[in-house]
Amino acid sequence: MRAALTRYRVIAWVVGVVLILLVVIGMPLKYGFHNPVVVETVGQAHGFLYMVYLVAAFDLSRRADWPLKRMILVMLAGTVPFVSFWAERRVSALVTAEQREREHAPEPIAG
Amino acid sequence: MKRLWTPAWIARHVAMVVLVTTFLGLGWWQVSRAAAGNAISWGYAVEWPIFAGFVVFVWWREVRHTLRTAAAQDEDAAAPASADHRGEAAGPDGVTAADAIDAKPSRPGIRRPVRVARVGAGPGADDAELAAYNRYLSWLNANPGAKPGDYPG
């Protein structure tokens, strides 16, 4: 679980940074200065990195036994510039809190 | 199967179909753009079908999960003998085991392994009773023909 969370956090951060590069630098260059080189290179990379992000988020949600709705919200959060960082922090706090709760809860004897 | 036709599930089926058609349509649009000479579109033409496939994968996983949970619950209901330990958990006010199962939120059929904390007796913590029992066991082991009642200790 901890490893899955770390994987998710790393890729969430990378995708967030690339997305901001794309929106803050690439878009103005393309539409303001007619220089599409950043959008063409970073945009492609972002698409494939986002796939890795989806896989990491899916893996984490499976391990943490999340409901479908939360999984989809976390996946969508990765597409919104700046919000992705906030979402990553919330997910980390949530998973850590749930795990702590699970560790402190008494173990079931049977069933 | 009935569990896959609740309003929530119909919404999921519709969402899946809409997303997959949209993604495949976008992929096709990128193919046509690429064919028109926009070389960068080949990359997007590959990405969109993968996203569509991912949607189908998540949808299928949820379907299987629901069906498996349903099957497990049916099994539980069909075999009340397996619910013995749940009967113990039932309250004194006439709550039956079946009620307890129904009250539980649906859970996957796989449960975590049971872990029991056991404190090992340290080498210094000598228990007189345990030592006597061990002597008794070793005596039994040394005298295979003897009955437990013959133990002299």
Side-chain angles (χ1 to χ4, degrees):
Chain A
M1 179 82 92
R2 219 158 273 260
L5 180 62
T6 309
R7 286 196 291 272
Y8 163 79
R9 291 184 62 186
V10 169
I11 190 65
W13 189 83
V14 171
V15 169
V17 168
V18 170
L19 186 59
I20 283 175
L21 279 182
L22 203 56
V23 171
V24 173
I25 301 174
M27 295 281 190
L29 273 182
K30 180 175 178 182
Y31 296 104
F33 300 92
H34 304 289
N35 181 354
V37 70
V38 175
V39 167
E40 283 177 359
T41 50
V42 180
Q44 291 279 315
H46 175 261
F48 287 102
L49 284 172
Y50 185 67
M51 284 179 199
V52 180
Y53 172 83
L54 283 184
V55 170
F58 177 76
D59 178 52
L60 181 64
S61 83
R62 200 173 53 90
R63 286 167 199 264
D65 206 8
W66 285 349
L68 181 65
K69 194 186 271 181
R70 190 188 295 165
M71 180 177 85
I72 289 173
L73 280 179
V74 169
M75 285 174 174
L76 288 182
T79 63
V80 189
F82 300 102
V83 173
S84 62
F85 295 106
W86 171 80
E88 186 265 316
R89 287 187 69 92
R90 274 219 41 199
V91 167
S92 304
L94 193 95
V95 170
T96 316
E98 270 182 359
Q99 199 176 19
R100 198 173 301 136
E101 207 171 276
R102 204 170 298 179
E103 274 166 12
H104 286 286
E107 286 291 330
I109 302 301
Chain B
M1 264 333 212
K2 217 184 272 175
R3 282 163 211 267
L4 294 179
W5 296 109
T6 58
W9 259 110
I10 291 171
R12 280 174 214 168
H13 296 317
V14 170
M16 188 274 289
V17 171
V18 168
L19 281 176
V20 168
T21 15
T22 311
F23 288 1
L24 289 181
L26 284 167
W28 188 245
W29 173 59
Q30 294 292 345
V31 168
S32 60
R33 279 186 65 185
N38 189 355
I40 203 82
S41 285
W42 283 121
Y44 298 123
V46 173
E47 285 172 14
W48 280 118
I50 295 179
F51 286 130
F54 187 74
V55 170
V56 173
F57 166 66
V58 170
W59 169 81
W60 176 238
R61 181 179 160 275
E62 286 295 314
V63 165
R64 264 191 19 209
H65 183 83
T66 306
L67 290 181
R68 209 184 307 134
T69 313
Q73 278 174 355
D74 289 349
E75 248 169 53
D76 274 6
S82 72
D84 274 350
H85 54 280
R86 291 199 190 88
E88 285 173 18
D93 39 18
V95 181
T96 64
D99 286 342
I101 295 170
D102 287 342
K104 269 187 199 169
S106 63
R107 298 280 303 160
I110 302 155
R111 295 204 176 90
R112 276 186 294 157
V114 175
R115 275 193 291 163
V116 181
R118 292 164 79 184
V119 184
D126 256 347
D127 187 350
E129 212 176 326
L130 181 68
Y133 187 62
N134 278 334
R135 270 201 304 279
Y136 167 64
L137 287 182
S138 53
W139 178 84
L140 277 182
N141 196 37
N143 302 279
K147 293 191 189 83
D150 299 333
Y151 181 52

